[in-house]
Amino acid sequence: MNILLVNDDGYNAKGIIALEKQLNKYGQVYVVAPKTFMSGKAIALTIHAPIEVIKYDDYHYAIDGTPADCSAFGLSCLNVKFDVVISGINEGLNITYDILHSGTVGACIESLMYDVPCIAFSAEKNLDFAKDYVSFVMDFILKNKLLSNKYCINVNFPIDNIVKGIKLAKVVQRKDNRYFSYDGQIAFPKRDIDNHLSYPKDSDVYLVNEGYIAISFLKKDFYSETLFNQFKDSGIF
């Protein structure tokens, strides 16, 4: 298996170094990661400027670009037929609306544009704990033949250092708020976190707080066939 390993925390991030070690037993790993911290870049691409590439060897590259750039570069420039793109381990969960901002997930969505299956791995702050369960998740995914170029497999490890198992998760809209406070000169990012117990028991936010590895499946576009048909039949258009 040829594995393209990317992330959004940067080439020297603890999570990607740990993930590479865990993935080596599944095949040949090629690392393409941003030169610097690129969290929150979603699926942004560098379009109007060239990208500097630092080649350490045939299997390790750092680029001066976004996480999605990393996937695009690896899939189009390395002359390798990749079986899967794996992103992470991100330092910070990618659940609920965080998925929309996530460079970790964005790198995976870009791989779907190339018809390559993908997996995003994320944990809160317990990377040393999470890395020990990468093989557990990989074996589960491969055993059940979950890899597909039709969706992203989004994996989030539990917040506390305990794993009760793997569960299928719904992505829900979290009720907490992300906003800025402003003192007249500088705007400071703020966030109010809501209690997970107020969410459905099959939701991603509930499961990671209750000791489960949460797996959700993400599509590559925002288009809704249901809404198309709803408005087509409405008589408005």
Side-chain angles (χ1 to χ4, degrees):
M1 178 184 288
N2 288 322
I3 301 168
L4 177 59
L5 178 57
V6 300
N7 77 345
D8 71 357
D9 289 329
Y11 182 83
N12 293 312
K14 184 177 180 180
I16 197 170
I17 294 171
L19 188 50
E20 181 182 8
K21 292 178 180 177
Q22 298 296 319
L23 293 176
N24 279 328
K25 66 181 178 182
Y26 294 96
Q28 181 60 62
V29 180
Y30 295 76
V31 176
V32 179
K35 188 170 68 172
T36 58
F37 184 74
M38 284 281 171
S39 183
K41 296 297 183 181
I43 197 170
L45 290 170
T46 302
I47 297 174
H48 298 297
I51 296 175
E52 178 190 8
V53 177
I54 302 170
K55 180 179 179 180
Y56 296 102
D57 56 45
D58 288 342
Y59 304 104
H60 296 86
Y61 299 80
I63 71 171
D64 190 16
T66 67
D69 287 332
C70 292
S71 293
F73 170 81
L75 295 173
S76 61
C77 296
L78 295 188
N79 297 316
V80 176
K81 181 175 174 54
F82 285 103
D83 299 289
V84 63
V85 171
I86 298 181
S87 187
I89 304 171
N90 187 65
E91 188 168 357
L93 293 173
N94 280 305
I95 56 176
T96 73
Y97 60 67
D98 295 324
I99 291 169
L100 297 174
H101 307 121
S102 170
T104 303
V105 173
C108 284
I109 298 301
E110 181 65 19
S111 77
L112 294 179
M113 307 298 181
Y114 290 79
D115 292 323
V116 178
C118 53
I119 309 169
F121 283 104
S122 302
E124 192 57 23
K125 300 294 182 182
N126 52 348
L127 293 176
D128 287 330
F129 168 78
K131 69 177 175 56
D132 293 333
Y133 285 89
V134 168
S135 293
F136 177 59
V137 176
M138 285 295 297
D139 291 344
F140 177 87
I141 289 172
L142 296 175
K143 176 184 176 182
N144 292 285
K145 300 179 181 180
L146 297 179
L147 286 180
S148 171
N149 60 9
K150 304 300 182 185
Y151 51 74
C152 167
I153 302 174
N154 186 37
V155 179
N156 284 276
F157 293 100
I159 289 178
D160 295 323
N161 293 344
I162 182 173
V163 170
K164 298 177 182 177
I166 298 174
K167 287 208 172 186
L168 179 64
K170 288 181 179 178
V171 176
V172 297
Q173 181 62 38
R174 199 163 48 200
K175 306 181 188 76
D176 58 77
N177 296 309
R178 187 194 301 270
Y179 59 97
F180 287 93
S181 64
Y182 179 52
D183 67 1
Q185 292 182 310
I186 299 174
F188 299 90
K190 299 283 187 177
R191 192 172 186 179
D192 295 327
I193 303 295
D194 194 45
N195 191 309
H196 76 278
L197 295 175
S198 64
Y199 294 89
K201 292 185 177 181
D202 58 358
S203 65
D204 51 6
V205 64
Y206 182 90
L207 290 171
V208 295
N209 278 281
E210 289 294 314
Y212 291 98
I213 297 171
I215 291 184
S216 56
F217 294 89
L218 312 176
K219 299 190 297 182
K220 67 181 178 182
D221 59 55
F222 297 103
Y223 171 71
S224 170
E225 187 75 18
T226 301
L227 288 175
F228 175 85
N229 290 326
Q230 175 185 325
F231 285 104
K232 181 181 177 182
D233 297 337
S234 70
I236 298 173
F237 296 95

mmCIF file of all heavy atoms in Angstrom, residues 35 69 84 97 104 120 154 192 198 200 204-205 207:
data_model
loop_
_atom_site.group_PDB
_atom_site.id
_atom_site.type_symbol
_atom_site.label_atom_id
_atom_site.label_comp_id
_atom_site.label_asym_id
_atom_site.label_seq_id
_atom_site.Cartn_x
_atom_site.Cartn_y
_atom_site.Cartn_z
ATOM 1 N N LYS A 35 5.284 23.545 5.534
ATOM 2 C CA LYS A 35 6.521 23.965 6.199
ATOM 3 C C LYS A 35 6.219 24.605 7.543
ATOM 4 O O LYS A 35 7.005 24.490 8.489
ATOM 5 C CB LYS A 35 7.274 24.948 5.291
ATOM 6 C CG LYS A 35 8.655 25.311 5.787
ATOM 7 C CD LYS A 35 9.434 26.082 4.732
ATOM 8 C CE LYS A 35 8.859 27.459 4.478
ATOM 9 N NZ LYS A 35 9.735 28.274 3.594
ATOM 10 N N ASP A 69 -2.816 21.900 -0.546
ATOM 11 C CA ASP A 69 -1.670 21.925 -1.461
ATOM 12 C C ASP A 69 -0.819 20.673 -1.306
ATOM 13 O O ASP A 69 -0.297 20.139 -2.292
ATOM 14 C CB ASP A 69 -0.780 23.149 -1.195
ATOM 15 C CG ASP A 69 -1.387 24.457 -1.651
ATOM 16 O OD1 ASP A 69 -2.186 24.448 -2.609
ATOM 17 O OD2 ASP A 69 -1.053 25.492 -1.045
ATOM 18 N N VAL A 84 -4.126 5.576 -0.598
ATOM 19 C CA VAL A 84 -4.868 6.322 0.409
ATOM 20 C C VAL A 84 -4.074 7.562 0.804
ATOM 21 O O VAL A 84 -2.834 7.566 0.795
ATOM 22 C CB VAL A 84 -5.143 5.446 1.659
ATOM 23 C CG1 VAL A 84 -3.850 5.026 2.343
ATOM 24 C CG2 VAL A 84 -6.078 6.138 2.639
ATOM 25 N N TYR A 97 -18.903 21.699 13.796
ATOM 26 C CA TYR A 97 -18.586 22.692 12.773
ATOM 27 C C TYR A 97 -17.093 22.906 12.574
ATOM 28 O O TYR A 97 -16.670 23.547 11.608
ATOM 29 C CB TYR A 97 -19.274 24.031 13.065
ATOM 30 C CG TYR A 97 -18.913 24.696 14.369
ATOM 31 C CD1 TYR A 97 -17.639 25.191 14.606
ATOM 32 C CD2 TYR A 97 -19.870 24.868 15.368
ATOM 33 C CE1 TYR A 97 -17.315 25.826 15.792
ATOM 34 C CE2 TYR A 97 -19.563 25.501 16.558
ATOM 35 C CZ TYR A 97 -18.278 25.982 16.765
ATOM 36 O OH TYR A 97 -17.963 26.603 17.946
ATOM 37 N N THR A 104 -6.878 19.705 8.316
ATOM 38 C CA THR A 104 -6.708 18.254 8.330
ATOM 39 C C THR A 104 -7.740 17.585 7.430
ATOM 40 O O THR A 104 -7.415 16.742 6.592
ATOM 41 C CB THR A 104 -6.855 17.714 9.769
ATOM 42 O OG1 THR A 104 -5.896 18.360 10.609
ATOM 43 C CG2 THR A 104 -6.640 16.216 9.820
ATOM 44 N N ALA A 120 -8.862 11.023 7.953
ATOM 45 C CA ALA A 120 -8.385 12.111 8.799
ATOM 46 C C ALA A 120 -8.367 11.640 10.248
ATOM 47 O O ALA A 120 -9.369 11.135 10.753
ATOM 48 C CB ALA A 120 -9.286 13.335 8.662
ATOM 49 N N ASN A 154 -13.550 10.283 8.759
ATOM 50 C CA ASN A 154 -13.107 11.253 9.764
ATOM 51 C C ASN A 154 -13.058 10.578 11.132
ATOM 52 O O ASN A 154 -14.095 10.206 11.691
ATOM 53 C CB ASN A 154 -14.069 12.448 9.786
ATOM 54 C CG ASN A 154 -13.606 13.552 10.695
ATOM 55 O OD1 ASN A 154 -12.412 13.831 10.801
ATOM 56 N ND2 ASN A 154 -14.539 14.203 11.362
ATOM 57 N N ASP A 192 -16.946 29.610 23.656
ATOM 58 C CA ASP A 192 -17.708 29.068 24.777
ATOM 59 C C ASP A 192 -18.112 27.643 24.426
ATOM 60 O O ASP A 192 -18.807 27.407 23.443
ATOM 61 C CB ASP A 192 -18.969 29.904 25.042
ATOM 62 C CG ASP A 192 -18.637 31.313 25.504
ATOM 63 O OD1 ASP A 192 -17.611 31.469 26.185
ATOM 64 O OD2 ASP A 192 -19.405 32.238 25.185
ATOM 65 N N SER A 198 -25.742 17.427 26.467
ATOM 66 C CA SER A 198 -26.960 17.968 25.861
ATOM 67 C C SER A 198 -27.138 17.530 24.406
ATOM 68 O O SER A 198 -28.106 17.912 23.758
ATOM 69 C CB SER A 198 -26.953 19.500 25.931
ATOM 70 O OG SER A 198 -25.897 20.035 25.156
ATOM 71 N N PRO A 200 -27.146 14.403 21.214
ATOM 72 C CA PRO A 200 -27.552 13.009 21.009
ATOM 73 C C PRO A 200 -26.405 12.042 21.305
ATOM 74 O O PRO A 200 -25.233 12.368 21.068
ATOM 75 C CB PRO A 200 -27.939 12.970 19.529
ATOM 76 C CG PRO A 200 -28.285 14.369 19.181
ATOM 77 C CD PRO A 200 -27.396 15.235 20.015
ATOM 78 N N ASP A 204 -20.955 12.984 17.304
ATOM 79 C CA ASP A 204 -19.503 12.964 17.448
ATOM 80 C C ASP A 204 -19.040 13.614 18.752
ATOM 81 O O ASP A 204 -18.175 13.089 19.454
ATOM 82 C CB ASP A 204 -18.826 13.618 16.243
ATOM 83 C CG ASP A 204 -19.372 15.002 15.883
ATOM 84 O OD1 ASP A 204 -20.221 15.542 16.618
ATOM 85 O OD2 ASP A 204 -18.946 15.546 14.832
ATOM 86 N N VAL A 205 -19.653 14.737 19.108
ATOM 87 C CA VAL A 205 -19.228 15.456 20.317
ATOM 88 C C VAL A 205 -19.528 14.646 21.580
ATOM 89 O O VAL A 205 -18.751 14.650 22.540
ATOM 90 C CB VAL A 205 -19.866 16.863 20.373
ATOM 91 C CG1 VAL A 205 -21.376 16.796 20.483
ATOM 92 C CG2 VAL A 205 -19.296 17.684 21.523
ATOM 93 N N LEU A 207 -19.780 11.232 21.753
ATOM 94 C CA LEU A 207 -19.010 9.990 21.776
ATOM 95 C C LEU A 207 -17.569 10.199 22.218
ATOM 96 O O LEU A 207 -17.040 9.417 23.018
ATOM 97 C CB LEU A 207 -19.051 9.332 20.398
ATOM 98 C CG LEU A 207 -20.418 8.754 19.996
ATOM 99 C CD1 LEU A 207 -20.405 8.327 18.537
ATOM 100 C CD2 LEU A 207 -20.785 7.580 20.899
#
